[in-house]
Amino acid sequence: MNAFEKPTNPSHWSNHYDVERFEKSGHEAVGILTDYLQTSMDSLRDFVLPLHDPNERLAMWKSEMNRGPDGSGDLLRGDLLQRVLDRSNHLHDPRYAGHQVAVPLPELAWLTAATALLNNGMAIDEMGPASSPMEEAVMRSVAQFMGMGDNASGILCHGGTLANLTALLAARQFQSTGDEWRDGTADNFAVLVSEQAHYCVDRAVRVMGWGEQGTVHVNTDAQNCIRPEALEVAFVEAERKGLKVLCVVGSSCTTSSGAFDDLNVLADFAEAKGLWFHVDGAHGAAQIFSKRHRSPLEGMHRADSVAMDFHKMLGVPALCTGLFYRRSEDAYAAFSQRAEYLYEHDVQDEWWNLSKRTFECTKRMLSVAIFGIWEQHGPNLWESLVDELVGNAKVFAANVSKRDGWELFASPESNIVCFRSTRWDNARLRAQMVEKGPHYIVKTEMRGETWLRCTFQNPYTDESVSSSILTRLEELGTEWLQE
Ligand SMILES: Cc1ncc(COP(=O)(O)O)c(C=O)c1O
């Protein structure tokens, strides 16, 4: 066969473009997913999280993968969808109160399926003729709703980690006297951030080559919020070490315990020192939609940039993060990249070529879900969702405080509650809950001590469900005393 001849392989792929087959498997999938949803929402499983030893799970999947085709040629192999559903963590079960990931609004699964089928790559306008202008429109509206001003806008990216890195890249380019993007970084730059901040801020700093010293941790109070007076102390100490501080990052809120830094204090400090002010609102910036719960975000509108995950409190499937800039043109500072094969000319501020502002080249059509929510409800759906989630956390916290043998870390301002038993070993309690179920809760370490942690992500985790968390933990504690 010469190099230009087409090989005659059996066409394994072509059946999978069969339109009738697509329709049939779609109908089946709708039935299976509907059953999954009902079973989860009715808490009909023994466990929210079916967790066995990781190596056992790996062995099971490997042996299934290696048993060979079943002859149907079906990519879902009849029960693949069911096996994935059965063996995953079930967020739609109201007994889920674990990590901070949205319990997605179920209809968004269909929009997400549609965008997976379309697979428009989004890097440039031609690869997102619907979803690029949708993104620009909805991000501008949300940025303005957040009070960031008429010139504010935002872009969507795959996660808060990437959004925080992107914001810091923009801060670096904007604040430095040279062209860091072109020439690389010679200065010892540094960022001031709470010692309780999410690790991704430190990771971004290290990715930018500023090393361990580039993250200057600011001391926090008993509630895990930055102490205002500690800002100046950290700044002076950093300068003394020869570091050039270019940014201060506020946590809204911290991941572990849901503590909000005072953003007006941070904004004043940034203004006085001429620093970029970024808010890591991956988790809590969503509270801006709630009149009742937005007060911890006072001052957020003064930030140069804000990261907010739609996939945490706002019911949108992961990953979907908004990175908002008060001055929309600053978004172009993060990446001053030439890409001849993509862009026709060098003009920086082409909003329609989204990859000029994002780390990603290809990205999912993230705007469609958010656009759908905003078009139908404006901020109202998110307001009611945030009210429910934070309300459920407050009810649970009140219950913890009333019940003997339990201690609350702090009164919650978000949907995160840290608490602990004063009778039993908390790490063991949580391990027993994971092993024996049925609820799913997590734990954290603060100042060397273990705290149990619930994030109220599911709006159906009402008072009766959340009080059964405490009752179950008490049962587990009592059981092992009797062992
Ligand atoms: C405060 C904060 N920042 C950043 C992140 C990272 O966000 P993502 O998981 O979307 O990358 C998290 C995740 O929990 C967070 O709570």
Side-chain angles (χ1 to χ4, degrees):
M1 189 171 67
N2 73 41
F4 299 103
E5 242 175 82
K6 196 172 166 194
T8 48
N9 285 336
S11 60
H12 292 299
W13 55 268
S14 61
N15 284 340
H16 297 296
Y17 286 92
D18 183 275
V19 176
E20 270 178 38
R21 182 187 188 118
F22 171 75
E23 189 186 19
K24 183 168 166 287
S25 60
H27 283 301
E28 277 167 20
V30 169
I32 294 170
L33 291 174
T34 304
D35 282 351
Y36 151 78
L37 193 60
Q38 195 67 65
T39 307
S40 303
M41 292 184 64
D42 291 346
S43 295
L44 295 180
R45 291 188 188 82
D46 292 341
F47 293 88
V48 171
L49 169 68
L51 193 73
H52 305 283
D53 175 75
N55 287 317
E56 265 177 43
R57 276 179 283 132
L58 177 62
M60 186 185 333
W61 284 108
K62 265 185 168 170
S63 93
E64 290 175 11
M65 185 176 73
N66 292 330
R67 70 195 156 161
D70 68 355
S72 69
D74 180 357
L75 289 189
L76 300 184
R77 205 197 163 106
D79 70 340
L80 177 58
L81 193 51
Q82 194 63 56
R83 279 179 285 149
V84 172
L85 291 170
D86 289 345
R87 298 175 199 174
S88 292
N89 199 338
H90 300 114
L91 281 58
H92 287 92
D93 187 319
R95 298 169 301 178
Y96 175 91
H99 287 292
Q100 297 147 266
V101 183
V103 176
L105 304 170
E107 289 152 279
L108 294 182
W110 308 142
L111 270 186
T112 309
T115 59
L117 188 67
L118 283 165
N119 217 21
N120 280 209
M122 299 296 295
I124 53 166
D125 191 30
E126 291 163 24
M127 288 308 293
S131 40
S132 300
M134 287 167 91
E135 178 165 331
E136 182 67 8
V138 74
M139 288 295 96
R140 277 196 181 265
S141 294
V142 172
Q144 277 148 32
F145 178 86
M146 291 163 85
M148 294 180 79
D150 291 346
N151 186 24
S153 74
I155 44 136
L156 286 167
C157 45
H158 289 249
T161 300
L162 213 44
N164 284 324
L165 171 62
T166 306
L168 293 185
L169 284 165
R172 179 185 73 166
Q173 187 72 353
F174 186 84
Q175 289 290 102
S176 117
T177 46
D179 182 345
E180 303 300 316
W181 186 258
R182 190 190 57 207
D183 303 328
T185 300
D187 288 301
N188 289 329
F189 288 125
V191 169
L192 295 186
V193 65
S194 157
E195 58 191 359
Q196 295 291 331
H198 191 268
Y199 70 86
C200 70
V201 175
D202 180 55
R203 185 173 281 192
V205 163
R206 291 172 198 248
V207 166
M208 288 191 290
W210 306 341
E212 187 177 8
Q213 64 174 5
T215 303
V216 178
H217 283 130
V218 186
N219 194 241
T220 53
D221 62 20
Q223 267 75 48
N224 286 344
C225 308
I226 281 183
R227 287 178 200 278
E229 66 281 8
L231 281 167
E232 183 67 25
V233 175
F235 183 82
V236 170
E237 177 60 10
E239 291 216 313
R240 196 189 58 75
K241 289 186 186 154
L243 302 173
K244 185 171 184 309
V245 177
L246 51 73
C247 177
V248 59
V249 177
S251 300
S252 298
C253 47
T254 62
T255 313
S256 266
S257 67
F260 287 83
D261 291 332
D262 185 330
L263 299 181
N264 272 320
V265 165
L266 267 59
D268 289 345
F269 185 80
E271 258 170 45
K273 303 285 187 200
L275 306 176
W276 181 281
F277 175 31
H278 174 65
V279 174
D280 177 5
H283 185 84
Q287 289 177 220
I288 199 70
F289 296 109
S290 161
K291 289 184 262 318
R292 214 176 291 166
H293 301 300
R294 67 166 64 128
S295 63
L297 297 171
E298 272 169 28
M300 185 168 79
H301 64 287
R302 297 170 64 190
D304 297 293
S305 53
V306 176
M308 178 176 80
D309 281 354
F310 289 93
H311 65 258
K312 286 193 164 52
M313 294 180 83
L314 300 179
V316 172
L319 289 161
C320 186
T321 302
L323 172 57
F324 300 93
Y325 293 91
R326 188 152 49 87
R327 297 169 299 272
S328 56
E329 60 277 15
D330 288 352
Y332 298 90
F335 312 101
S336 310
Q337 191 100 45
R338 287 179 69 88
E340 286 77 4
Y341 78 101
L342 286 178
Y343 314 128
E344 280 180 32
H345 30 78
D346 227 2
V347 184
Q348 279 295 312
D349 54 349
E350 294 172 332
W351 65 257
W352 50 92
N353 287 327
L354 287 168
S355 58
K356 288 197 159 192
R357 292 179 282 164
T358 58
F359 206 95
E360 298 95 324
C361 177
T362 302
K363 71 174 185 182
R364 302 287 300 263
M365 300 166 72
L366 300 173
S367 55
V368 179
I370 297 165
F371 189 94
I373 293 172
W374 193 262
E375 185 179 46
Q376 195 57 242
H377 297 281
N380 300 334
L381 183 148
W382 284 328
E383 172 160 39
S384 61
L385 190 54
V386 169
D387 282 351
E388 199 66 33
L389 302 183
V390 180
N392 286 344
K394 286 184 185 279
V395 166
F396 177 71
N399 213 337
V400 171
S401 315
K402 280 199 303 248
R403 228 147 143 152
D404 281 348
W406 294 100
E407 182 187 354
L408 195 60
F409 176 74
S411 178
E413 288 196 279
S414 182
N415 61 339
I416 301 171
V417 183
C418 291
F419 63 107
R420 66 181 173 188
S421 162
T422 54
R423 280 175 282 185
W424 297 295
D425 177 273
N426 287 280
R428 184 161 174 200
L429 267 186
R430 134 92 186 160
Q432 293 272 304
M433 184 67 117
V434 170
E435 192 188 321
K436 298 185 176 164
H439 301 267
Y440 178 57
I441 64 168
V442 293
K443 69 177 170 59
T444 188
E445 295 276 316
M446 288 184 288
R447 299 186 173 89
E449 295 185 1
T450 302
W451 292 82
L452 301 173
R453 179 170 169 274
C454 288
T455 312
F456 290 86
Q457 290 294 146
N458 189 317
Y460 291 100
T461 312
D462 59 15
E463 184 165 12
S464 79
V465 182
S466 71
S467 83
S468 69
I469 295 176
L470 292 176
T471 306
R472 180 65 181 140
L473 288 168
E474 284 165 358
E475 264 171 33
L476 291 167
T478 311
E479 264 172 34
W480 93 56
L481 279 190
Q482 289 159 0
E483 274 168 14

